[in-house]
Amino acid sequence: MCVRARSANYIHECFGSYWCRLDGNVALITGAASGLGECTAKLFAEHGAKVILADIQDDLGHMVSEAIGSTNSMFVHCDVSKEEDVKNAIDTAISTYGKLDIVFNNAGISDPLKPSIIDNEKTAFGRVIGVNVSGVFLGMKHAARVMVPAVADPGIFPWGAKHF
């Protein structure tokens, strides 16, 4: 199990507590169907965040969302190497919760180790780069598209959004 169970006094503990520091925040986590992404999604939800779980592992993603609870999470299919999937995940967060506060570009893959560089194929390397590098770029790009205007209030940032 990734996180501690909520106590019966959760609501009481929540006021001014360490355990509710993400209340009201909306987080999108890629690679959230298993491993570190799953644990992070559960922890963020326990801390009060609404969580969008984005992953290519549909069955596992739905199971994690059900474990967290439908009031605090939702699953969206997302291959981070495909720009349209990333855009859709970000847009789903906005259409569902009205905002996006946190993006954790967690999705990552590796291929089985080969004994020699000569044994590696360019297509396998391209797949890893597509997820591990391009996927992070696409996540930042589409998150910025909705997050920068939300914080570019001249009263908060007098220099404006053009500097982000």
Side-chain angles (χ1 to χ4, degrees):
M1 181 163 171
C2 297
V3 296
R4 71 174 179 84
R6 287 187 174 170
S7 72
N9 296 322
Y10 174 74
I11 298 300
H12 174 67
E13 292 173 1
C14 203
F15 294 102
S17 165
Y18 169 84
W19 290 105
C20 291
R21 61 186 178 179
L22 294 177
D23 270 352
N25 284 283
V26 176
L28 182 129
I29 301 171
T30 66
S34 61
L36 181 62
E38 175 187 359
C39 292
T40 303
K42 289 178 177 178
L43 185 62
F44 277 22
E46 184 169 335
H47 282 253
K50 303 289 186 193
V51 182
I52 297 89
L53 303 109
D55 207 301
I56 60 170
Q57 302 177 87
D58 295 342
D59 292 340
L60 289 175
H62 285 292
M63 287 174 44
V64 173
S65 182
E66 288 172 19
I68 293 171
S70 62
T71 59
N72 294 321
S73 70
M74 67 177 301
F75 174 76
V76 61
H77 178 88
C78 180
D79 177 344
V80 297
S81 68
K82 297 179 180 174
E83 186 163 10
E84 192 58 35
D85 280 10
V86 176
K87 181 181 183 306
N88 178 60
I90 299 289
D91 290 346
T92 298
I94 298 300
S95 66
T96 303
Y97 297 111
K99 65 177 186 166
L100 182 62
D101 301 297
I102 302 163
V103 175
F104 179 23
N105 288 304
N106 170 71
I109 62 170
S110 65
D111 276 343
L113 292 175
K114 304 281 175 45
S116 169
I117 188 74
I118 298 167
D119 298 326
N120 288 281
E121 298 294 325
K122 184 177 180 224
T123 56
F125 178 73
R127 204 171 37 250
V128 171
I129 294 299
V131 172
N132 298 355
V133 178
S134 298
V136 173
F137 163 76
L138 293 172
M140 292 186 316
K141 173 186 173 182
H142 287 284
R145 175 176 53 86
V146 299
M147 293 173 80
V148 168
V151 298
D153 179 341
I156 299 170
F157 297 104
W159 52 85
K162 67 182 178 183
H163 295 285
F164 284 93

